[in-house]
Amino acid sequence: MTGQERFVPESGIVVVDKPRGPSSHQVAAWVGGILGRRVGHAGTLDPQVSGVLIVMFGGAVRLAPVLLSHNKEYVCLMRLHGDASRESVEQAAKEFTGRIYQRPPRKSAVKRSLRIRKIQEIEILDMDGRLVLFRVRCDAGTYIRTLCVHLGYALGTCAHMEELRRIRSGSFDETTIVTLHELADAVAAAREGNHEPLQGMILPPAAAVADLAKVVVRDTAVDAVCHGAVLAGVGVVGKEGGFAKGETVAIVTERGELVGLGKGLVNSSALKPGEPGFVVAPTTVLMRPGTYPRGWKARTGS
């Protein structure tokens, strides 16, 4: 496909059901070819792992650091190398809940240095002989392949990962995913005038920051933020959620559009909408300058 499809927005997110076989990079490239956009992806899955893969295009690519940090959830099929009771497997799973040490596997593309990750939950779903099906909710960057090996050591039987599927990344889960074939069909329908299927598959950049605290800015302050100006309380009309000084917050318009990300200069409890004083320093701007009319005047020399 050449050129850019006019019915595809400039910026957005597609949550793809990555199949087993191709790499995450290859799947993202296919999405880019289908949409006619340059893309990036967040949260690499090994070729033989399937499930939720977040593909971004346009300005949404700048949200990669936020998307990469999201907690993940997987369903894993593990094969034990010896016999073990369900009770002992469930007990071992409890022992791995919380903060754990991991070293990335040899086939990983990252440096194999020791790291700490947190396992929020491990639920044993089913067992059939030496096959164990479990669901795990964990920090980003947790290696489930390594977790299986360590569970096997704890059981005294050894174990390895047989199959893995990611079912959630942050607020994106299997209810929002689309297959490559469905996306291609939606683009074909859009070319013929039916834009509804495609519109339902492309999420706005604001969907990526659903879990972040938000600062709502008045229309007259939006363009100043787009030009990198530090946001003052007089430009704020509201806030959603709490945040501490130094934490990342989402800067949104009164319509809910994502302007960008910023770092809190004060605690949310000290932020008083409409009052003077700097409150948020923009770090990543997604909205294009000029989208909203300028409500400020540039200083000129005297």
Side-chain angles (χ1 to χ4, degrees), residues 229-290:
V230 177
L231 181 63
V234 292
V236 177
V237 296
K239 55 185 176 180
E240 301 174 14
F243 58 89
K245 181 179 179 180
E247 288 186 347
T248 299
V249 299
I251 304 170
V252 300
T253 69
E254 295 180 71
R255 297 184 181 90
E257 303 158 303
L258 182 62
V259 181
L261 305 177
K263 182 172 292 187
L265 300 178
V266 296
N267 294 333
S268 57
S269 58
L271 193 166
K272 308 298 181 184
E275 295 188 2
F278 294 131
V279 293
V280 177
T283 55
T284 303
V285 176
L286 279 77
M287 185 172 285
R288 181 177 298 179

Side-chain angles (χ1 to χ4, degrees), residues 213-231:
K214 298 175 180 61
V215 173
V216 185
V217 297
R218 62 179 75 255
D219 289 355
T220 52
V222 172
D223 196 58
V225 175
C226 291
H227 281 85
V230 177
L231 181 63

